[in-house]
Amino acid sequence: MHPARSRRWGVRTNRGTQGHDRAAQGRRRVAALLFAAAAVLYNGWLLEFVLPTGLDPRHSYVSELYAADQPLRWLFGGIESVCAVLVGGGALLAGGAASGIRARSGIRSRTIRARTDWWARTGWWALLGLALSSLADVYLPMRCAPSVEPGCEAVHPWHTATSALAHFFVFASMALLGRAAATDAPRMPLIRRWGTWVLALALPTAVCTVGPLFGRPGWHGIPQRAHLTLVGLWFALLAAELAGSSRQEDGGPGAGRERVPEVAQPADGA
């Protein structure tokens, strides 16, 4: 009786693990699609080149496109909001998939994996913070467009605060996920190879946008749009990494092999 019962329990354990891994794999696939869509929408400002916004891209902030008094605020604000929802959903799914990974190797490998998972989960939470900050950025907009309205101040306290939070969270996500990739390179090879470069380029472009906040307006629109392009590239990199990890599990070593159920040996005298 004991061997049979243990055999059934072993099969259930393996089947439960397989189901758990398939669910995590499905979450990664959906997260990859969400981040791929976000990579496109995050650069929806490109529409300003074909729409009559009345703003000069060289000397204006992108957030001026959805300032409270701008005629196309509903369009650009809507794009920003949808993008934020996509990033938040992708972060939640990817973070859940990272939490669902189960280590099956030795104690040292499990310790390294636990540390990597902490960095990765914190990085995905930072992306959720970016999503929430971006939503707040839209719903606490600039009152006016300072680049075309002489009496309009560049500093709008609530909007400036939410923009600062968005910058903090996007850089935090790059640093934290880059750290996770450096700790466990086989799981995140693309982020390990390219993430540092994206972070190194995105930081100075962000710094170059603060001129109007200190009474030095002009030409800040160019580095800001370069910065947004790099953040879109970061989302595309995340999408490719998540999609690649799903494909690797589909066709990687050991894929498709039947798991051998765990069978407990009967005790002596049973």
Side-chain angles (χ1 to χ4, degrees), residues 151-247:
C152 181
E153 294 290 335
V155 177
H156 296 74
W158 285 109
H159 183 81
T160 302
T162 56
S163 296
L165 283 173
H167 279 88
F168 167 77
F169 283 121
V170 73
F171 291 134
S173 73
M174 292 178 183
L176 291 165
L177 289 172
R179 181 72 176 91
T183 304
D184 192 359
R187 284 176 58 195
M188 292 184 281
L190 293 176
I191 293 177
R192 184 174 187 272
R193 182 174 182 180
W194 300 109
T196 303
W197 289 102
V198 175
L199 175 59
L201 293 172
L203 269 171
T205 56
V207 171
C208 290
T209 67
V210 301
L213 304 181
F214 298 96
R216 300 285 183 178
W219 300 102
H220 54 279
I222 294 176
Q224 190 197 28
R225 285 158 177 79
H227 171 75
L228 296 176
T229 301
L230 288 166
V231 176
L233 181 62
W234 173 239
F235 293 158
L237 188 63
L238 295 176
E241 195 73 275
L242 289 164
S245 66
S246 296
R247 286 195 300 270

Side-chain angles (χ1 to χ4, degrees), residues 87-108:
V87 171
L92 287 172
L93 289 170
S99 301
I101 296 173
R102 298 186 179 185
R104 300 184 183 88
S105 50
I107 295 175
R108 183 174 182 275

Side-chain angles (χ1 to χ4, degrees), residues 38-260:
V40 176
L41 290 181
Y42 200 76
N43 287 286
W45 56 267
L46 290 168
L47 291 173
E48 69 182 336
F49 291 110
V50 296
L51 295 174
T53 64
L55 302 176
D56 188 338
R58 299 170 299 175
H59 307 300
S60 62
Y61 284 123
V62 168
S63 54
E64 293 182 49
L65 293 168
Y66 51 86
D69 64 347
Q70 293 302 297
L72 295 177
R73 64 184 182 280
W74 58 270
L75 173 62
F76 290 102
I79 291 174
E80 183 79 3
S81 298
V82 172
C83 181
V85 171
L86 292 174
V87 171
L92 287 172
L93 289 170
S99 301
I101 296 173
R102 298 186 179 185
R104 300 184 183 88
S105 50
I107 295 175
R108 183 174 182 275
S109 296
R110 287 198 297 270
T111 302
I112 295 174
R113 178 62 57 85
R115 292 174 181 171
T116 304
D117 288 349
W118 186 90
W119 291 109
R121 285 196 302 271
T122 310
W124 296 121
W125 279 112
L127 283 165
L128 180 61
L130 169 63
L132 295 175
S133 300
S134 297
L135 282 174
D137 221 31
V138 174
Y139 292 103
L140 297 170
M142 290 181 164
R143 294 186 298 274
C144 48
S147 65
V148 294
E149 300 176 42
C152 181
E153 294 290 335
V155 177
H156 296 74
W158 285 109
H159 183 81
T160 302
T162 56
S163 296
L165 283 173
H167 279 88
F168 167 77
F169 283 121
V170 73
F171 291 134
S173 73
M174 292 178 183
L176 291 165
L177 289 172
R179 181 72 176 91
T183 304
D184 192 359
R187 284 176 58 195
M188 292 184 281
L190 293 176
I191 293 177
R192 184 174 187 272
R193 182 174 182 180
W194 300 109
T196 303
W197 289 102
V198 175
L199 175 59
L201 293 172
L203 269 171
T205 56
V207 171
C208 290
T209 67
V210 301
L213 304 181
F214 298 96
R216 300 285 183 178
W219 300 102
H220 54 279
I222 294 176
Q224 190 197 28
R225 285 158 177 79
H227 171 75
L228 296 176
T229 301
L230 288 166
V231 176
L233 181 62
W234 173 239
F235 293 158
L237 188 63
L238 295 176
E241 195 73 275
L242 289 164
S245 66
S246 296
R247 286 195 300 270
Q248 187 177 18
E249 287 195 4
D250 279 340
R257 295 181 186 175
E258 183 179 358
R259 296 181 183 269
V260 179

